[in-house]
Amino acid sequence: MTRLFNAPAAFADEALEGFVAAHRRWVRPVSGGVVRSAPAPRGQVAVVIGGGSGHYPAFSGLVGPGLAHGAAVGNVFASPSARQIRTVAEHAHAGGGVLLMFGNYAGDVLHFGQAAGQLNAAGIETHCVSVTDDISSADRADQDKRRGIAGDLPVFKAAAAAAEQGRDLAGVVAVARHANTRTRSFGIAFSGCTLPGADHPLFTVDEGRMAVGLGIHGEPGIGEREVPSADGAAELLVSALLDELPEGVTRPHGERAAVILNGLGTVKYEELFVVYRRVAQLLAEAGVEVVDPEVGELVTSFDMAGVSLTLCWLDEELEPLWTAGADTPAYRKGEVTAPVPGPAQEIRTDEPGETVPPATEVSRTAAATAVAALRAVKDTVDTHAEELGRIDAVAGDGDHGIGMRRGSGAAHTAAVRAAEAGAGAGTALGAAADAWADRAGGTSGALWGVLLHAVGAALGDTEAPTAGTVAHGVSEASAAVRRLGGAEVGDKTMVDVLVPFADVLAGAVADGAALPDAWHRAATAAEDAAKATAGLVPRVGRARPHAERSLGTPDAGAHSLALIVRAVHGVLATH
């Protein structure tokens, strides 16, 4: 388990601060992550990678010459926010455009996609490539739905080496996509990881059993079997990958491959070498020539006891990119020019103040109510954070409680500051929305950001809110969340609660109910809908590969939304 930490919600920030202090030769801090300590040559494409904390050396440990130009670092197991990604990319940009790279998870797709849109709008040409190497997370026919695990490394490295060669953005993007199509990974685990502050792992397997086809966020495997010998584990990993060759590789004999045997956090290096001994034998017997193999911890999952095997099938284009030199805090190969450290800088944890738009007295009064509601949201999330994490861990990664705690706390703080500066309700909720999305990260952070923005836009800063404007704002929020997240009712997400809540609220207001009464009816519908998600199986998101496991357990996002709207009702009834 994770034993050394302070406040669990501060773990990711403090880990990044310590990482920077230890590795100033390679990296310098910027808001949201790190960039190379020495700038890239003018005109070079900037490769910016990123994802949640808890996977070191990924992602910050892979920044340096020959590899990434910057890394955006999110909360524990949660994607960085769009603002964090954009800020890192702006600092890494050297005039040749930006390639954003990440594992194929819903939160990362949302936030990196938003950041790319913002960067392109600002005149920085930006493209995204997600890594989809995990063969256990979707069928071969649905490769675009597969998640990214240890195959991140060879795909990131191919793109970065191409950038170092001076290729333009289109060329670097093409290399990244080509490397991704030729990379496959498969993993096993003997126990789950434990998040900072938790007293139990995200999943367990019985003594003598192991999970097969797990993810890197504490997700349980797609199946279980008896723990084999080291040779047996090697045979399982190799056979799984040789059974699915990428297009263009018709048979393994005569092919060359980059090979990574990756420890997920607790399996010791000596154990890895025992397994790799047999991996090397099996690949040689299959006629595969191994090129520059890597054995060690490269993409981890806190203290998970497990291993994964990655094969990147090389060709004339990819092999020199794989063997090219790199010099980063956690990954070094060949020879590259050592960076010259820049001046010491501190990580900025706040943003410059902005001018508060003028607001009427009635809207400032409404802002005070919004602050009270957000305080109730924060208190409710704090009370139920452990429960939300437990529910999320059944088929997901168990980070929902941590993310909601960070997001709701930041939202309340931002709204208080805005209200104290004289903001109206719309501006206060907009500040809360940005803070929630930024601090929580992940899918839920992005969705709560658009939800609060929609409500704030409906309220504005001039008029006194009415039951009608509130109901309209909630309906707009429901539509915005569905547009951004792509989920609909029945997919087992927060949408299963948000839609009936919005519909019942609008109906009650249309019937003439006062806002507190209408909200009470809608909150009751939300609670019923949240309970009903226990009978659904997830059709989107990180829990989808483990759909059957979640039967009988409500969706964590749906449950947290129901708790929140009930807490807000208490505020509306007294204001």
Side-chain angles (χ1 to χ4, degrees):
M1 63 185 296
T2 306
R3 295 177 176 85
L4 297 175
F5 57 90
N6 297 309
F11 185 88
D13 294 334
E14 292 178 348
L16 183 62
E17 184 179 353
F19 165 78
V20 169
H23 296 105
R24 292 193 184 277
R25 173 190 159 196
W26 291 276
V27 300
R28 63 182 178 88
V30 297
S31 181
V34 296
V35 296
R36 292 185 187 180
S37 59
R42 189 66 188 164
Q44 188 174 103
V45 173
V47 175
V48 174
I49 63 176
S53 298
H55 305 302
Y56 191 84
F59 295 88
S60 54
L62 303 179
V63 174
L67 244 165
H69 296 75
V73 183
N75 189 22
V76 174
F77 289 174
S79 70
S81 70
R83 186 195 64 82
Q84 290 174 310
I85 298 162
R86 186 185 72 245
T87 301
V88 172
E90 288 170 343
H91 281 277
H93 183 232
V98 174
L99 172 57
L100 301 177
M101 302 188 71
F102 47 91
N104 189 37
Y105 299 91
D108 293 290
V109 172
L110 284 177
H111 286 289
F112 279 90
Q114 287 179 325
Q118 294 165 6
L119 289 164
N120 280 308
I124 300 176
E125 187 179 2
T126 304
H127 291 270
C128 292
V129 172
S130 59
V131 182
T132 57
D133 59 303
D134 181 15
I135 66 171
S136 69
S137 54
D139 292 335
R140 187 165 187 164
D142 293 318
Q143 291 185 38
D144 61 328
K145 296 180 181 178
R146 288 178 170 176
R147 58 198 173 194
I149 53 175
D152 284 352
L153 176 60
V155 181
F156 292 168
K157 189 174 186 305
E164 296 277 5
Q165 290 179 346
R167 302 193 198 188
D168 64 11
L169 181 58
V172 173
V173 169
V175 164
R177 290 173 176 163
H178 179 52
N180 185 55
T181 63
R182 295 178 68 90
T183 302
R184 303 285 188 274
S185 298
F186 187 71
I188 57 177
F190 317 107
S191 69
C193 60
T194 304
L195 299 183
D199 58 5
H200 56 274
L202 294 179
F203 73 87
T204 59
V205 290
D206 293 336
E207 187 71 25
R209 305 279 293 175
M210 69 177 182
V212 177
L214 66 144
I216 58 167
H217 295 92
E219 308 99 323
I222 59 174
E224 289 186 9
R225 63 176 65 186
E226 290 185 2
V227 175
S229 63
D231 284 358
E235 289 158 8
L236 170 63
L237 295 169
V238 171
S239 64
L241 296 183
L242 293 186
D243 281 346
E244 188 189 302
L245 301 175
E247 187 176 348
V249 180
T250 56
R251 62 191 185 98
H253 188 81
E255 294 288 344
R256 296 165 66 83
V259 179
I260 299 171
L261 184 63
N262 176 60
L264 284 160
T266 302
V267 176
K268 306 307 294 182
Y269 273 68
E270 286 85 351
E271 295 174 90
L272 293 173
F273 290 134
V274 172
V275 174
Y276 185 73
R277 159 192 157 275
R278 183 58 178 153
V279 167
Q281 292 171 354
L282 292 168
L283 290 174
E285 291 170 5
V288 179
E289 185 169 348
V290 175
V291 179
D292 277 7
E294 297 287 347
V295 179
E297 294 184 345
L298 294 159
V299 181
T300 62
S301 183
F302 275 111
D303 61 333
M304 185 185 291
V307 300
S308 65
L309 181 66
T310 298
L311 299 182
C312 177
W313 298 92
L314 302 174
D315 57 16
E316 291 182 355
E317 180 177 37
L318 293 178
E319 184 166 340
L321 301 176
W322 171 245
T323 58
D327 183 22
T328 76
Y331 184 85
R332 298 167 203 171
K333 176 181 288 188
E335 294 183 3
V336 294
T337 303
V340 178
Q345 298 182 32
E346 298 301 322
I347 299 176
R348 242 174 57 193
T349 56
D350 58 353
E351 291 298 296
E354 295 182 359
T355 302
V356 174
T360 63
E361 186 62 32
V362 290
S363 188
R364 288 196 290 269
T365 299
T369 302
V371 168
L374 287 166
R375 176 57 188 262
V377 170
K378 174 187 176 299
D379 291 345
T380 297
V381 169
D382 285 345
T383 299
H384 295 277
E386 185 174 347
E387 174 195 10
L388 296 174
R390 179 189 60 79
I391 293 172
D392 190 37
V394 171
D397 56 14
D399 70 336
H400 189 66
I402 292 177
M404 291 291 288
R405 174 174 277 171
R406 282 172 60 108
S408 61
H412 174 251
T413 299
V416 168
R417 289 176 178 169
E420 289 176 347
T427 295
L429 282 173
D434 290 338
W436 193 313
D438 190 40
R439 293 294 292 161
T443 306
S444 69
L447 298 181
W448 273 97
V450 300
L451 189 158
L452 291 176
H453 263 301
V455 175
L459 298 187
D461 291 327
T462 57
E463 303 297 324
T466 65
T469 55
V470 172
H472 173 69
V474 172
S475 294
E476 288 296 302
S478 175
V481 166
R482 281 177 284 163
R483 282 195 303 270
L484 180 62
E488 293 294 343
V489 172
D491 287 342
K492 195 165 187 172
T493 69
M494 69 183 294
V495 168
D496 290 295
V497 168
L498 183 57
V499 169
F501 174 76
D503 290 348
V504 171
L505 180 65
V509 169
D511 290 341
L515 182 58
D517 181 51
W519 196 281
H520 168 69
R521 296 186 209 174
T524 300
E527 291 163 341
D528 292 341
K531 293 175 184 176
T533 61
L536 300 175
V537 293
R539 298 190 298 214
V540 297
R542 193 172 291 171
R544 180 185 51 80
H546 313 289
E548 298 304 321
R549 286 179 179 268
S550 73
L551 272 175
T553 302
D555 176 70
H559 183 56
S560 62
L561 178 56
L563 291 171
I564 284 171
V565 295
R566 177 54 69 191
V568 172
H569 172 254
V571 174
L572 295 178
T574 57
H575 283 64

